[in-house]
Amino acid sequence: MDDLCDLLDLFIMEFIISPRLALYNYSAQMDDEEKIKVALRHLSTCGKHVDNQKNGKSKFRALAYIEEGNKKFESLFREDLLEIYTKAAMYAEIGSNELARAYGNRSAHLYTSGLYEDALIDIERALAIGYNDDTKTKLYVRRAKCLFVLKKEMSPEIEEALSDARKWLDKMKEADKKYMTKILDKFPEGLLNKTPFKKYDYNALLPEPPQDNPKIPGASGAIELKYSDQFGRHVVATRDINAGETIIVHRSYATVIDSKFSHKYCWNCCKRAWSGVPCHKCVEVIYCNETCRDKAWSEHHEIECKVISVITREKLDIYDLLALRLTAKAYKEAGSLKKLQEKIRKIDSIDDPILKCLTNNRFDHTKYESVYSLWRHNTIDSDTALRLSLILCSLAATTNIFGEKILNSKQLLNNEEATFIGRLMLVNHEIASMNASKFSGDNNAGLALDPLWSLFNHSCDPETINMTPGNIMSLTAFQRLEKGQQVCINYDEPFFFAYIPNRRLLHKKFRFECECRACKECWAPDFFLKFPHCEAYTPAALMKKLGLSSIFGEFKKFGDMVNANDDTKVVLIPDLFRVLDFYLRVYGYPRVEIIEIKLILVHISSALSHKY
Ligand SMILES: C[S@@+](CC[C@H](N)C(=O)[O-])C[C@H]1O[C@@H](n2cnc3c(N)ncnc32)[C@H](O)[C@@H]1O
């Protein structure tokens, strides 16, 4: 029981069995700094040291994954095999033969899946590291095949790959040699009708980021931040906003991927990493390419890397990971611990809730000021404080954040810098749990935090609709908003999905009484006014008047079309907004037809958000 993971298990067990025993001095009324000290003191009584050597790379585990992939090559689904070879790459030592084999074998699978460009990337990587001589022919043939399928004609590059393939033929086993010679002789037989797998590019469907708000980059000039005692900070329309107008398009400040999906999505940009590269040091994360890996390293992963190796990700709450990410980014952004302390002191000294979010007079969602100023409550429970203090211990033991590495939790207790970072971790955890949104796809594969998004208040009948693929947060007006009106988002589900008791639970979590019309008038999901029985007012007649008859027949099928990868119909979204706008102007609300169009738009946006 020498490492921190065992310690974590022990403490969590102690806490569950006897909370008082685990943290007998803990009280909800303490401030965050006291809470971290109590948790550290409790840890130090155990007197254990952190194993700061652990990184998880293992030749044997890499080989085991390669063997498993090879055995199951014919029988497994594409996703499962990609996962196995990606895991092999994650465990393989950098520059090792196992890494070359993981890339080489994965390229075979990428090829059969129609991911030719990704297969070419893996082939290059495998050859650069040094692939086994007796199988090099296979790689060069695969390279020639990928190039041919992509270009549909011979080229000098393909000729070169074929000639390289022939060079290594003699190194192959006799049976393999015969087989490959046949393929080489018949090349490019059977390749003309192969088509590449169509990757989904959500960027193509997102609106352009608005550029006209000098105070809030990435937001529409039609909004501003306000503060009132009743609503706290909130967002207000500075002019009338039409249905379908873009309000914000942001890349969120921070995102983390759930451990179940860590081999699938890029730890930097959240995109699907088909031919992902692992971190040089740990086995916990994957990147879509080397550029993302280097960017993440310099912006945050240098700090997180060892911590998430020491305390394996399965043992951490995803909000702990986000708290760690926010702390790492804040530290890197400031450049030193001293500068970070100065920055925090400065924000703490500003009372005005809006001014304290600003950097150089602007609300800059890429700066930590905008994140830290979201903190409003001190609600960390002892269990979370304990987990965060374990993260703090491993930060001290595995990074140089406090100068020298500190291996003993007792030493941390009297270290003011450690208490400062510990408190910041608690604050960041609270910010994460109150403001982060689960991003869509693969059953909530991760969490994203955008500070501007976090300043929108909630409505059960929101005026806005969001699309949040990966780490992008975009918000569009759902209906017309008048100048001066508050612009809200929906924190969970709009009233037409959520029953009142569920909505109450949500308000309890966020501690407010919802005053939207849907709550005041107790609208349940099936509450809406019936459409008048008059020919002239039927949806079909209205659509005809608007010149949109062709869509009306189709709009109910939109959801299916989006799911079926048919993006062409999505261009009709603006027309749906026009219809919605028209209905909202002409008829009372809520009305079944209006809700139906809203439902379709919600469905489309969620389907699009899920495909990243
Ligand atoms: C994500 S924050 C939104 C920004 C927040 N108003 C602020 O000042 O930082 C969520 C908090 O805002 C407040 N809030 C959100 N929606 C609200 C509403 N409809 N009415 C009143 N307060 C609301 C609640 O205090 C809630 O915990």
Side-chain angles (χ1 to χ4, degrees):
M1 209 205 49
D2 275 341
D3 78 8
L4 213 56
C5 312
D6 298 329
L7 261 182
L8 183 65
D9 281 344
L10 173 84
F11 278 112
I12 286 175
M13 263 179 60
E14 268 192 28
F15 177 74
I16 290 164
I17 295 164
S18 168
R20 272 196 212 130
L21 182 74
L23 282 176
Y24 55 94
N25 275 331
Y26 198 93
S27 131
Q29 277 71 47
M30 286 171 171
D31 68 26
D32 281 339
E33 209 167 295
E34 285 173 279
K35 284 180 176 174
I36 201 77
K37 277 189 175 165
V38 171
L40 275 179
R41 197 166 300 127
H42 195 74
L43 265 189
S44 71
T45 54
C46 195
K48 296 282 176 189
H49 300 273
V50 177
D51 170 12
N52 69 338
Q53 297 309 313
K54 191 171 169 179
N55 73 6
K57 297 277 184 203
S58 151
K59 176 180 175 155
F60 299 105
R61 288 194 75 171
L63 276 173
Y65 277 121
I66 292 171
E67 292 308 320
E68 186 184 345
N70 294 352
K71 237 188 257 160
K72 297 179 177 166
F73 199 85
E74 302 296 337
S75 60
L76 277 187
F77 288 123
R78 188 181 66 210
E79 292 275 330
D80 299 335
L81 264 177
L82 278 180
E83 178 176 332
I84 289 174
Y85 288 127
T86 299
K87 283 185 175 166
M90 286 165 103
Y91 278 97
E93 297 281 355
I94 297 305
S96 65
N97 176 261
E98 296 74 46
L99 186 57
R101 284 180 66 195
Y103 286 144
N105 293 9
R106 191 173 65 182
S107 74
H109 192 56
L110 288 166
Y111 172 77
T112 44
S113 306
L115 289 152
Y116 304 114
E117 279 162 356
D118 291 270
L120 282 170
I121 293 170
D122 267 1
I123 293 167
E124 290 314 308
R125 288 181 186 143
L127 288 170
I129 296 167
Y131 201 60
N132 294 348
D133 288 352
D134 60 347
T135 33
K136 267 191 185 142
T137 295
K138 282 191 186 173
L139 275 199
Y140 284 117
V141 167
R142 197 171 301 138
R143 178 194 265 172
K145 282 181 173 177
C146 290
L147 290 169
F148 187 88
V149 176
L150 289 169
K151 294 186 181 155
K152 299 281 183 240
E153 60 182 11
M154 290 302 282
S155 69
E157 219 184 337
I158 298 175
E159 298 289 3
E160 192 187 332
L162 293 172
S163 137
D164 284 334
R166 287 187 198 281
K167 263 189 233 160
W168 295 97
L169 266 176
D170 284 341
K171 297 275 179 193
M172 298 193 92
K173 284 184 204 136
E174 227 18 71
D176 290 344
K177 186 175 162 182
K178 253 191 190 161
Y179 178 70
M180 289 317 277
T181 310
K182 228 189 216 168
I183 292 183
L184 280 165
D185 290 346
K186 290 185 176 172
F187 194 92
E189 191 181 81
L191 295 179
L192 266 175
N193 52 6
K194 285 201 180 289
T195 46
F197 171 80
K198 186 177 168 246
K199 282 191 205 169
Y200 179 71
D201 177 15
Y202 60 73
N203 284 316
L205 295 158
L206 281 171
E208 284 294 311
Q211 307 279 357
D212 58 335
N213 195 324
K215 288 255 182 193
I216 316 176
S220 157
I223 60 162
E224 66 176 343
L225 295 176
K226 288 250 182 191
Y227 176 83
S228 75
D229 288 344
Q230 185 186 4
F231 295 117
R233 286 167 295 192
H234 56 283
V235 179
V236 169
T238 53
R239 59 163 168 78
D240 291 353
I241 300 177
N242 287 322
E245 259 192 63
T246 309
I247 295 175
I248 54 173
V249 181
H250 272 176
R251 197 167 290 278
S252 42
Y253 180 83
T255 39
V256 284
I257 309 282
D258 189 278
S259 59
K260 288 195 280 304
F261 302 98
S262 56
H263 52 276
K264 236 173 155 181
Y265 296 107
C266 177
W267 189 239
N268 179 56
C269 73
C270 302
K271 285 203 179 123
R272 181 72 164 87
W274 298 105
S275 49
V277 278
C279 170
H280 274 319
K281 311 253 180 191
C282 74
V283 296
E284 305 294 335
V285 298
I286 195 95
Y287 297 99
C288 50
N289 53 40
E290 287 77 358
T291 314
C292 272
R293 182 180 65 194
D294 297 345
K295 191 167 187 288
W297 186 261
S298 66
E299 286 181 2
H300 50 84
H301 194 58
E302 186 183 0
I303 306 288
E304 314 154 333
C305 183
K306 274 278 185 86
V307 177
I308 53 178
S309 304
V310 172
I311 311 175
T312 54
R313 293 182 49 187
E314 287 77 8
K315 294 208 163 82
L316 296 176
D317 186 307
I318 190 159
Y319 291 95
D320 300 347
L321 271 181
L322 188 52
L324 173 63
R325 164 67 61 85
L326 294 174
T327 311
K329 277 200 79 167
Y331 172 76
K332 283 282 193 176
E333 203 181 295
S336 72
L337 204 52
K338 211 164 165 248
K339 285 191 185 150
L340 179 58
Q341 283 171 313
E342 271 166 31
K343 189 187 267 194
I344 298 298
R345 252 195 302 274
K346 197 171 151 209
I347 308 173
D348 282 340
S349 71
I350 303 172
D351 287 331
D352 186 298
I354 305 259
L355 282 183
K356 72 194 297 157
C357 322
L358 307 185
T359 320
N360 300 328
N361 251 340
R362 299 182 334 155
F363 185 95
D364 186 344
H365 69 284
T366 65
K367 297 282 185 265
Y368 185 65
E369 282 87 339
S370 63
V371 174
Y372 179 79
S373 51
L374 294 174
W375 181 70
R376 297 176 315 135
H377 304 290
N378 164 17
T379 54
I380 293 282
D381 58 46
S382 55
D383 194 0
T384 308
L386 208 45
R387 289 197 317 276
L388 295 176
S389 67
L390 277 163
I391 294 179
L392 179 63
C393 288
S394 67
L395 263 181
T398 61
T399 70
N400 290 324
I401 217 177
F402 305 124
E404 294 282 289
K405 290 194 171 80
I406 306 172
L407 289 168
N408 189 329
S409 51
K410 224 178 230 167
Q411 274 175 267
L412 278 184
L413 254 173
N414 301 320
N415 184 323
E416 272 181 28
E417 289 178 336
T419 322
F420 165 76
I421 288 290
R423 182 213 159 228
L424 204 59
M425 293 271 301
L426 262 60
V427 164
N428 283 333
H429 195 285
E430 289 180 298
I431 291 171
S433 54
M434 290 301 275
N435 296 283
S437 35
K438 291 183 176 144
F439 64 77
S440 27
D442 259 345
N443 230 343
N444 301 329
L447 286 181
L449 188 125
D450 175 61
L452 178 59
W453 191 267
S454 308
L455 292 183
F456 284 84
N457 278 343
H458 163 90
S459 168
C460 299
D461 185 27
E463 301 83 11
T464 56
I465 180 167
N466 57 298
M467 205 151 87
T468 56
N471 63 353
I472 306 286
M473 319 286 274
S474 88
L475 198 66
T476 304
F478 216 0
Q479 59 193 56
R480 229 174 122 72
L481 282 131
E482 280 172 20
K483 182 177 172 180
Q485 195 178 337
Q486 183 172 177
V487 187
C488 291
I489 59 173
N490 185 272
Y491 292 177
D492 194 21
E493 287 182 319
F495 84 91
F496 39 88
F497 287 139
Y499 283 92
I500 291 168
N502 291 350
R503 278 150 55 188
R504 295 229 168 91
L505 281 179
L506 183 78
H507 307 160
K508 201 171 159 202
K509 176 187 167 195
F510 286 100
R511 308 163 181 206
F512 67 91
E513 273 307 313
C514 190
E515 304 230 343
C516 71
R517 192 174 158 205
C519 280
K520 277 188 183 156
E521 297 179 13
C522 291
W523 295 353
D526 51 1
F527 175 84
F528 34 71
L529 305 174
K530 294 279 179 268
F531 208 78
H533 283 294
C534 170
E535 261 312 293
Y537 296 118
T538 62
L542 281 171
M543 293 281 184
K544 203 170 169 193
K545 264 190 213 156
L546 287 165
L548 297 171
S549 311
S550 60
I551 315 166
F552 185 68
E554 292 184 67
F555 82 84
K556 290 195 181 201
K557 294 183 220 146
F558 261 42
D560 295 340
M561 285 188 264
V562 173
N563 284 337
N565 236 348
D566 181 358
D567 299 335
T568 50
K569 298 287 191 277
V570 174
V571 295
L572 293 176
I573 289 178
D575 290 330
L576 281 176
F577 275 121
R578 276 179 59 205
V579 178
L580 187 59
D581 205 24
F582 182 84
Y583 276 168
L584 282 158
R585 276 177 217 222
V586 176
Y587 297 111
Y589 181 71
R591 194 181 284 275
V592 62
E593 291 73 15
I594 296 173
I595 302 293
E596 270 190 6
I597 298 181
K598 284 193 165 187
L599 273 168
I600 291 161
L601 281 164
V602 168
H603 187 79
I604 292 174
S605 92
S606 110
L608 293 180
S609 299
H610 283 213
K611 290 165 56 169
Y612 62 96

